[in-house]
Amino acid sequence: MTIGLADLNHMAQPAFVAAIGDAFERAPWVAEQVHAKRPFDSVTSLHAAMMGAVRAAPRDGQLAFLRSHPDLAGKAARAGQVTDDSRREQASVGLDTLSDDEFAHFNRLNDAYKAKFDFPFIVCVRRHTRDSILRQFELRLGNDAATELAAALQEIFYITRLRVAAKVTGEGMPKVNGRLSTHVLDTQAGRPAVGMAIEFYEYVGGRAHRLVTTVTNTDGRTDEPLIGGRPLPIGRYELRFMVGDHFRARGIEQGDPPFLDIVPIRFSVAEAETHYHVPLLCTPWSYSTYRGS
Amino acid sequence: MTIGLADLNHMAQPAFVAAIGDAFERAPWVAEQVHAKRPFDSVTSLHAAMMGAVRAAPRDGQLAFLRSHPDLAGKAARAGQVTDDSRREQASVGLDTLSDDEFAHFNRLNDAYKAKFDFPFIVCVRRHTRDSILRQFELRLGNDAATELAAALQEIFYITRLRVAAKVTGEGMPKVNGRLSTHVLDTQAGRPAVGMAIEFYEYVGGRAHRLVTTVTNTDGRTDEPLIGGRPLPIGRYELRFMVGDHFRARGIEQGDPPFLDIVPIRFSVAEAETHYHVPLLCTPWSYSTYRGS
Amino acid sequence: MTIGLADLNHMAQPAFVAAIGDAFERAPWVAEQVHAKRPFDSVTSLHAAMMGAVRAAPRDGQLAFLRSHPDLAGKAARAGQVTDDSRREQASVGLDTLSDDEFAHFNRLNDAYKAKFDFPFIVCVRRHTRDSILRQFELRLGNDAATELAAALQEIFYITRLRVAAKVTGEGMPKVNGRLSTHVLDTQAGRPAVGMAIEFYEYVGGRAHRLVTTVTNTDGRTDEPLIGGRPLPIGRYELRFMVGDHFRARGIEQGDPPFLDIVPIRFSVAEAETHYHVPLLCTPWSYSTYRGS
Amino acid sequence: MTIGLADLNHMAQPAFVAAIGDAFERAPWVAEQVHAKRPFDSVTSLHAAMMGAVRAAPRDGQLAFLRSHPDLAGKAARAGQVTDDSRREQASVGLDTLSDDEFAHFNRLNDAYKAKFDFPFIVCVRRHTRDSILRQFELRLGNDAATELAAALQEIFYITRLRVAAKVTGEGMPKVNGRLSTHVLDTQAGRPAVGMAIEFYEYVGGRAHRLVTTVTNTDGRTDEPLIGGRPLPIGRYELRFMVGDHFRARGIEQGDPPFLDIVPIRFSVAEAETHYHVPLLCTPWSYSTYRGS
């Protein structure tokens, strides 16, 4: 259920808070404060006003707000004591299906983090792969208190921006999604490579987990983006192109075994709200790739 | 210990046979027959004459000759009942260190092969990886008798050509070796990529086994070829270039995590006596490779 | 002024012929014949029916029809005695501004052609550059009579398809246009090359004539296709990319003088109704191009 | 006629000066001074000592030395009143065959230069193309006196280094030569492109002048470097590869006219004593080039 920005702009405070208050975890006071600032000319400025209220809050209020967030992959989440939004977000990156060892590891990191900073580790999980969350955890454990408070508020910014964008429709939507696409050109034939099978993997702990198996269409692209309609999770990926099969099906000499068979392209995503285009130009004896646009 | 072709050309038959007879497994008659054809103007023509004697032998003689070869990875080899040359050649591809399961698998293939063709499976192991030997085994089990006799004699040609080239020196050495090299150009800087770490892997049963770890020199090449001074074993390989480290060390913006970190180039060797050159041209955002020369 | 296919389908013969008859040069009988075949379910099938009438005509009728066409760049065209469509089409390729020498050369070819085939040389000039028309002239002068009659009717097909597509709108428009586009990626920075100047040339008699000067936008593309909304004239072209200026403006080391300054990409168009995409991937020290899609 | 460094090291002063004194134009005092510094352990250190004598000379002596050099392309050179070395060097870049207009242009630049600096414009012509000399002239006319004196002495360094390297043989020869090479890979076939015609041009005043026509050998290279055994003249060049002919001869589909026919690679040389490698990787539909090594 989404609500229009125009409707929000006309709501009395209680309805306004009921509509969007829970974008900020257990903090209806954020919506209460910004109600007076209506009307908002864009969804982006609505969200900016809400973040402004958080940033203007006294330090104690900010800390209380941060402390109201559940542990990442923590006992509360396992026990079902978190908000629906939190549960869905954590599930999106597989944090709801950790092995007992992984669960213990996350809990140890959580404990070390809370011992140092006195609030739980907060990260916008929809912007990260599981590996990237672990790396963030380790990096941020090294921060000093002031730097880490800023880092935690920046993650709140990402989390709530996604929630607001999911709840409210209207002018000036914030840019919250990225896209990953590919394109295969058969430069031996001077044409798109049609019908080439592609596998797409995410690296988790040094191992490649297959996310998608697809095939190129008549334009050498995939009908759907490899990732789209959501933030691109920051992390390491690999595309595998079945180049050998493509040329074998066309009867092209390529050696036996073929010089190129499965062509892997390993790359990382560093910006979650951006378009990454990773094409392949190939012959049976050569290929190239690049970050395109 | 090698012997000069000129010396061989002057030897009486017993010395001649003693010098090169065992290039043909348990078949001194081959050397005996070609002794009369001296002098040979090249090592290649010496070997050609010896193969000519095998090909001119009656079918029964050929079969007896083939049957005098040990099973590949077979019980005889394990028990030490094979010639030194055979033992060394099988060890070169890891056939002396098979697990019990692998040993059993090879023996089953050997048994099926001998049941069909009535001589052991012969392959020039120095021209193959372990995976490629298994693939040859499966492919050749499908041959008819005449095709397979020709295939076995062709392998004898490869095996004995290597042995003759190792025993005899002189004019007109046969081409028995291949070479695998790489070269890394940093096309962002327009210079060879100096000091880039490279790992080189062979694929065995779907898993990559590291053969070499090396680093590029001031010309962007490796001081030693990745493989050289021997036949290139037919099979699947992977080069992994530490591109992310290279640009990080130079302070070049490449995203965080870097768009390209470890760049894998997966390729196959199909011709054992050839030069394969597999270079990498790279920036932090693009790369290309090709079969060079 | 265009007319809708639905309207055409309801017209009486005189209005129908008045509306589209002159798509076929001085041959209203073509429209008269196809009037009975209404309704047409697509503009493509309307044109197919009209060409069918030409192809079904007796040989004498076909020849009379061909003879009613003006000489290419001929005296009639100069003297203004041709239809408006013919005049516009010839002007599109510069045939109205030939030098006296060129005019004489075309007339000599015309005379040789008519002496051999007894009808004027007909070519769909909008599908060709001036060089390509001359090449067609020379090639087709070598044809035998039957082959050349077929070639001339194929050109009539192209000419009239363009005319019908310009006069009639509706379902099933024939594909008559091509498109030429480019895209510049700065693979040193991993981004589109923004603001790079590009010059686009057509080769005429061995010399490059500039058609367009443009600049890349924020996506590394040009706001308008280099050629679009019309057939791509078959011929030779050159793109010149101001790569040196691009990197100089960004303060990137590139040598002095820069290793790459103006990068020329010379290519030919062979298919007039197709999309040609000719991108450039560049660093200060390397570039690549390909026929993309 | 060259002389060995060891012989030089044993010569009395008069013979020493006779042997190498004229490496420094009309300045035997340079050789006279360094004679006492024998023995030299390398040709490089001999030359360094001679330049040291010039640099240690009083400013008046340096100016007198510079003034003893002929005008570039000047009246003295035309009238035969210069040393043989000067004449040969100027001829190497075509300064002996200027048109009357070009001669007048050079003389105007010379006059402006001498009016400003009171010595003739000196440049090591063998390190430059004609265009590059003109560009140097214009750039250096803008220098202040001290900067330009240093620039002139640096050119003396280049000129005399070449002369010493041509006269004296022995240990530690200075690096005075560059090399320009190419290599063509047919990445459609995965092999060197054999027998491909290549034309090599120098740009002079915006027009390309052909220097060399050659053809690739069985390794896809040219038997001789495009430039070698001398400094690479700084300037702009173009390689033209007959790619269309190459693929036509092999019966490869490439469109008609071929998408790629003559492929021009335009590049500049900025460092005269270096190796430039400018390869081409091509299919009928794509190509790439880079500064290689």
Side-chain angles (χ1 to χ4, degrees):
Chain A
M1 270 295 292
T2 60
I3 187 164
L5 179 63
D7 294 338
L8 264 184
N9 275 333
H10 287 96
M11 281 181 177
Q13 204 198 51
F16 184 88
V17 173
I20 60 160
D22 61 356
F24 284 68
E25 191 96 356
R26 304 183 199 282
W29 56 269
V30 175
E32 286 162 14
Q33 287 189 16
V34 304
H35 179 260
K37 302 199 169 167
R38 290 166 310 129
F40 298 100
D41 62 358
S42 69
V43 180
T44 298
S45 60
L46 165 64
H47 176 248
M50 296 179 88
M51 272 309 296
V54 174
R55 291 201 161 109
R59 194 160 177 285
D60 278 2
Q62 289 180 342
L63 289 174
F65 172 54
L66 295 177
R67 284 178 196 132
S68 69
H69 284 74
D71 285 356
L72 193 69
K75 299 184 191 70
R78 274 216 166 172
Q81 299 159 4
V82 300
T83 63
D84 281 359
D85 277 340
S86 274
R87 190 179 42 72
R88 266 194 303 273
E89 288 158 8
Q90 299 204 4
S92 75
V93 75
L95 291 176
D96 58 338
T97 58
L98 296 177
S99 70
D100 286 347
D101 276 0
E102 291 171 320
F103 186 70
H105 182 52
F106 263 104
N107 274 335
R108 275 194 306 274
L109 285 166
N110 264 332
D111 292 346
Y113 185 93
K114 282 196 288 189
K116 178 165 184 184
F117 298 115
D118 207 19
F119 54 82
F121 178 71
I122 295 166
V123 66
C124 178
V125 293
R126 283 179 60 78
R127 298 179 74 254
H128 290 275
T129 55
R130 204 194 287 197
D131 274 15
S132 176
I133 288 170
L134 265 176
R135 184 163 171 262
Q136 288 299 310
F137 227 149
E138 285 154 19
L139 286 174
R140 286 170 54 188
L141 263 170
N143 281 343
D144 61 36
T147 304
E148 184 53 24
L149 178 58
L153 288 175
Q154 180 62 33
E155 294 299 321
I156 294 290
F157 173 86
Y158 291 133
I159 293 167
T160 57
R161 190 172 62 170
L162 276 164
R163 290 181 181 178
V164 167
K167 286 177 199 291
V168 187
T169 58
E171 289 296 300
M173 293 297 290
K175 177 159 182 51
V176 292
N177 293 336
R179 187 159 56 98
L180 175 64
S181 58
T182 189
H183 188 190
V184 189
L185 268 296
D186 174 342
T187 48
Q188 171 165 83
R191 285 192 296 266
V194 180
M196 185 185 288
I198 300 175
E199 294 173 351
F200 176 51
Y201 293 81
E202 175 190 330
Y203 271 91
V204 181
R207 293 184 49 203
H209 282 250
R210 186 158 58 191
L211 301 179
V212 174
T213 298
T214 183
V215 70
T216 55
N217 59 24
T218 55
D219 192 36
R221 303 178 195 269
T222 58
D223 285 341
E224 300 294 326
L226 296 160
I227 301 177
R230 55 157 295 155
L232 278 190
I234 293 167
R236 290 203 303 143
Y237 298 93
E238 187 165 296
L239 283 160
R240 295 185 190 158
F241 298 90
M242 306 301 140
V243 169
D245 290 347
H246 170 78
F247 288 111
R248 186 177 305 114
R250 277 147 198 80
I252 305 292
E253 159 65 17
Q254 55 182 344
D256 179 24
F259 180 64
L260 300 175
D261 188 6
I262 299 173
V263 168
I265 306 286
R266 203 175 294 174
F267 65 95
S268 290
V269 163
E271 300 165 37
E273 290 83 18
T274 307
H275 178 204
Y276 278 71
H277 184 58
V278 184
L280 179 72
L281 314 176
C282 63
T283 77
W285 307 99
S286 64
Y287 64 90
S288 60
T289 189
Y290 53 93
R291 180 165 177 194
S293 81
Chain B
M1 272 297 292
T2 59
I3 188 164
L5 180 64
D7 294 338
L8 265 186
N9 275 333
H10 288 95
M11 283 181 176
Q13 205 197 49
F16 184 89
V17 173
I20 60 159
D22 60 358
F24 284 67
E25 191 94 357
R26 304 182 197 281
W29 56 269
V30 175
E32 285 163 14
Q33 287 189 16
V34 303
H35 178 261
K37 302 200 169 166
R38 287 165 313 128
F40 298 100
D41 61 359
S42 70
V43 179
T44 298
S45 60
L46 164 64
H47 176 248
M50 296 179 87
M51 272 309 296
V54 174
R55 291 202 162 107
R59 197 162 174 283
D60 278 1
Q62 290 180 340
L63 290 173
F65 172 53
L66 295 177
R67 285 177 193 133
S68 69
H69 285 74
D71 283 356
L72 192 70
K75 299 184 191 69
R78 276 216 164 172
Q81 300 160 4
V82 301
T83 63
D84 280 358
D85 278 339
S86 273
R87 189 180 43 71
R88 267 196 301 274
E89 288 159 7
Q90 298 203 6
S92 75
V93 74
L95 292 176
D96 58 338
T97 58
L98 296 176
S99 70
D100 285 348
D101 275 2
E102 292 171 320
F103 185 70
H105 183 50
F106 264 104
N107 274 334
R108 274 195 304 276
L109 285 166
N110 264 332
D111 292 346
Y113 185 94
K114 283 197 288 190
K116 178 164 184 184
F117 298 115
D118 207 19
F119 53 83
F121 178 70
I122 296 167
V123 66
C124 178
V125 293
R126 284 179 60 78
R127 299 178 74 253
H128 290 274
T129 55
R130 203 193 287 197
D131 274 16
S132 176
I133 288 170
L134 265 176
R135 183 163 171 262
Q136 288 298 311
F137 228 150
E138 285 155 20
L139 286 175
R140 285 170 53 189
L141 263 170
N143 281 343
D144 61 35
T147 303
E148 184 52 25
L149 178 58
L153 289 174
Q154 181 61 34
E155 294 299 321
I156 294 289
F157 173 86
Y158 290 132
I159 293 167
T160 57
R161 189 172 62 170
L162 276 164
R163 291 181 179 178
V164 167
K167 286 176 198 292
V168 187
T169 59
E171 289 295 300
M173 294 296 291
K175 179 159 182 51
V176 292
N177 293 336
R179 186 159 56 98
L180 175 65
S181 59
T182 188
H183 188 191
V184 189
L185 269 295
D186 174 343
T187 48
Q188 171 164 84
R191 285 192 296 267
V194 181
M196 186 185 289
I198 301 174
E199 295 174 350
F200 176 51
Y201 293 80
E202 175 190 330
Y203 272 91
V204 180
R207 294 186 48 204
H209 283 250
R210 187 157 59 192
L211 301 180
V212 173
T213 298
T214 183
V215 69
T216 55
N217 59 23
T218 55
D219 191 36
R221 304 178 195 268
T222 59
D223 285 341
E224 301 293 327
L226 296 160
I227 301 177
R230 55 157 295 155
L232 278 190
I234 292 167
R236 289 203 305 143
Y237 298 93
E238 187 165 297
L239 283 160
R240 295 185 190 160
F241 299 90
M242 306 300 139
V243 169
D245 290 346
H246 170 79
F247 288 111
R248 187 177 303 115
R250 276 146 198 79
I252 306 293
E253 159 65 17
Q254 54 183 343
D256 178 25
F259 180 64
L260 300 176
D261 189 6
I262 299 172
V263 168
I265 306 286
R266 201 174 295 173
F267 64 95
S268 290
V269 163
E271 301 164 37
E273 290 82 19
T274 307
H275 178 203
Y276 279 72
H277 184 59
V278 184
L280 179 72
L281 314 176
C282 63
T283 78
W285 308 98
S286 64
Y287 64 90
S288 59
T289 190
Y290 52 94
R291 180 164 179 195
S293 80
Chain C
M1 271 296 292
T2 59
I3 188 164
L5 179 63
D7 294 338
L8 265 185
N9 275 333
H10 287 95
M11 283 180 178
Q13 204 197 50
F16 184 88
V17 173
I20 60 159
D22 60 357
F24 284 67
E25 191 94 356
R26 303 182 198 282
W29 56 270
V30 174
E32 285 163 13
Q33 286 190 15
V34 303
H35 178 260
K37 302 200 169 166
R38 288 165 314 128
F40 298 99
D41 61 359
S42 70
V43 180
T44 298
S45 61
L46 164 64
H47 176 248
M50 296 180 87
M51 272 310 295
V54 174
R55 292 202 162 107
R59 197 163 175 282
D60 277 1
Q62 290 180 341
L63 290 173
F65 172 52
L66 295 177
R67 284 177 195 134
S68 70
H69 285 74
D71 284 356
L72 192 69
K75 298 183 192 73
R78 274 215 165 172
Q81 299 160 3
V82 301
T83 63
D84 280 359
D85 277 339
S86 274
R87 189 180 44 71
R88 266 195 302 275
E89 287 158 6
Q90 299 204 4
S92 75
V93 75
L95 292 176
D96 58 338
T97 59
L98 296 177
S99 70
D100 285 348
D101 275 3
E102 292 171 320
F103 185 71
H105 182 51
F106 264 103
N107 274 334
R108 274 195 305 275
L109 284 166
N110 264 331
D111 291 346
Y113 184 94
K114 283 196 287 189
K116 177 164 184 184
F117 298 116
D118 208 19
F119 54 82
F121 178 71
I122 295 167
V123 66
C124 178
V125 293
R126 284 179 59 79
R127 299 179 72 253
H128 290 275
T129 56
R130 204 194 286 196
D131 275 15
S132 176
I133 288 171
L134 265 176
R135 184 162 171 262
Q136 288 298 312
F137 228 148
E138 285 155 19
L139 286 174
R140 285 170 53 189
L141 263 170
N143 281 343
D144 61 36
T147 303
E148 184 53 25
L149 178 59
L153 288 175
Q154 180 61 34
E155 294 298 321
I156 294 290
F157 173 86
Y158 290 133
I159 293 167
T160 58
R161 190 171 61 170
L162 276 164
R163 290 181 180 179
V164 166
K167 286 176 201 290
V168 186
T169 59
E171 289 295 301
M173 294 296 290
K175 178 158 182 52
V176 292
N177 293 336
R179 185 158 57 99
L180 174 65
S181 59
T182 189
H183 188 192
V184 189
L185 269 296
D186 173 343
T187 48
Q188 171 165 83
R191 285 192 297 267
V194 181
M196 185 185 289
I198 301 174
E199 294 174 350
F200 176 52
Y201 293 80
E202 174 190 331
Y203 271 92
V204 181
R207 293 185 49 203
H209 283 250
R210 186 158 60 193
L211 301 180
V212 173
T213 298
T214 183
V215 68
T216 55
N217 59 24
T218 55
D219 191 37
R221 304 178 194 268
T222 59
D223 285 340
E224 300 294 326
L226 296 160
I227 301 177
R230 54 157 296 155
L232 279 190
I234 293 166
R236 290 203 304 143
Y237 298 93
E238 187 165 298
L239 283 160
R240 296 186 190 158
F241 298 90
M242 306 300 139
V243 169
D245 290 346
H246 170 78
F247 288 111
R248 187 178 304 115
R250 277 145 198 79
I252 306 292
E253 159 65 16
Q254 55 182 343
D256 178 23
F259 180 64
L260 300 175
D261 189 7
I262 300 172
V263 168
I265 307 286
R266 201 175 294 173
F267 64 94
S268 290
V269 162
E271 301 164 37
E273 289 83 17
T274 307
H275 178 204
Y276 278 72
H277 184 58
V278 184
L280 179 72
L281 314 176
C282 63
T283 78
W285 308 99
S286 64
Y287 64 89
S288 59
T289 190
Y290 52 92
R291 180 166 179 193
S293 80
Chain D
M1 271 296 292
T2 61
I3 187 164
L5 179 64
D7 294 338
L8 264 185
N9 275 334
H10 286 96
M11 282 180 178
Q13 204 197 50
F16 184 88
V17 173
I20 60 159
D22 60 356
F24 285 67
E25 191 95 355
R26 303 182 197 282
W29 56 270
V30 175
E32 285 163 14
Q33 287 189 15
V34 304
H35 179 260
K37 302 201 169 165
R38 291 164 310 128
F40 299 99
D41 61 358
S42 69
V43 180
T44 298
S45 60
L46 165 65
H47 176 248
M50 296 179 87
M51 273 309 296
V54 174
R55 292 201 162 108
R59 195 162 175 283
D60 278 2
Q62 290 180 340
L63 290 174
F65 172 53
L66 295 177
R67 285 177 194 132
S68 70
H69 285 74
D71 285 356
L72 193 69
K75 298 183 190 73
R78 275 216 165 171
Q81 299 160 4
V82 302
T83 63
D84 281 358
D85 278 340
S86 274
R87 190 180 43 71
R88 267 195 301 273
E89 288 159 6
Q90 299 203 5
S92 75
V93 74
L95 291 176
D96 57 338
T97 58
L98 296 177
S99 70
D100 286 347
D101 276 1
E102 292 171 321
F103 186 71
H105 183 51
F106 264 103
N107 274 334
R108 275 195 304 276
L109 285 165
N110 265 330
D111 292 345
Y113 185 94
K114 282 196 289 188
K116 178 165 184 183
F117 298 115
D118 207 20
F119 53 83
F121 178 71
I122 295 166
V123 66
C124 179
V125 294
R126 284 179 58 79
R127 298 179 74 253
H128 290 275
T129 55
R130 203 194 288 196
D131 274 15
S132 176
I133 288 170
L134 265 176
R135 184 163 172 261
Q136 288 299 310
F137 228 149
E138 285 155 20
L139 286 173
R140 284 171 55 189
L141 262 170
N143 281 344
D144 62 37
T147 304
E148 184 53 23
L149 178 59
L153 288 174
Q154 180 62 34
E155 295 299 321
I156 294 290
F157 172 87
Y158 290 133
I159 294 167
T160 57
R161 190 173 61 171
L162 276 164
R163 290 181 180 178
V164 167
K167 287 177 199 292
V168 187
T169 58
E171 290 294 302
M173 294 297 290
K175 176 159 182 51
V176 293
N177 293 337
R179 186 159 57 97
L180 174 65
S181 58
T182 189
H183 188 190
V184 189
L185 269 295
D186 174 343
T187 47
Q188 172 165 82
R191 286 192 295 266
V194 181
M196 186 185 288
I198 301 175
E199 294 174 351
F200 176 51
Y201 293 80
E202 174 190 330
Y203 270 91
V204 181
R207 293 184 50 203
H209 283 251
R210 187 158 60 193
L211 301 179
V212 174
T213 299
T214 183
V215 70
T216 55
N217 59 24
T218 55
D219 191 37
R221 303 178 195 268
T222 59
D223 285 340
E224 301 294 325
L226 296 160
I227 301 177
R230 55 156 296 155
L232 279 190
I234 292 166
R236 290 203 303 143
Y237 298 93
E238 187 165 297
L239 283 161
R240 295 186 190 157
F241 298 90
M242 306 301 139
V243 169
D245 290 347
H246 170 79
F247 288 111
R248 186 178 305 114
R250 277 145 197 80
I252 306 293
E253 160 64 16
Q254 54 181 345
D256 179 23
F259 180 64
L260 300 175
D261 188 6
I262 299 173
V263 168
I265 306 286
R266 201 175 293 173
F267 64 95
S268 289
V269 163
E271 301 164 38
E273 290 82 19
T274 307
H275 178 203
Y276 278 72
H277 184 59
V278 183
L280 179 73
L281 314 176
C282 63
T283 77
W285 308 100
S286 65
Y287 64 91
S288 59
T289 189
Y290 53 93
R291 181 166 176 192
S293 80

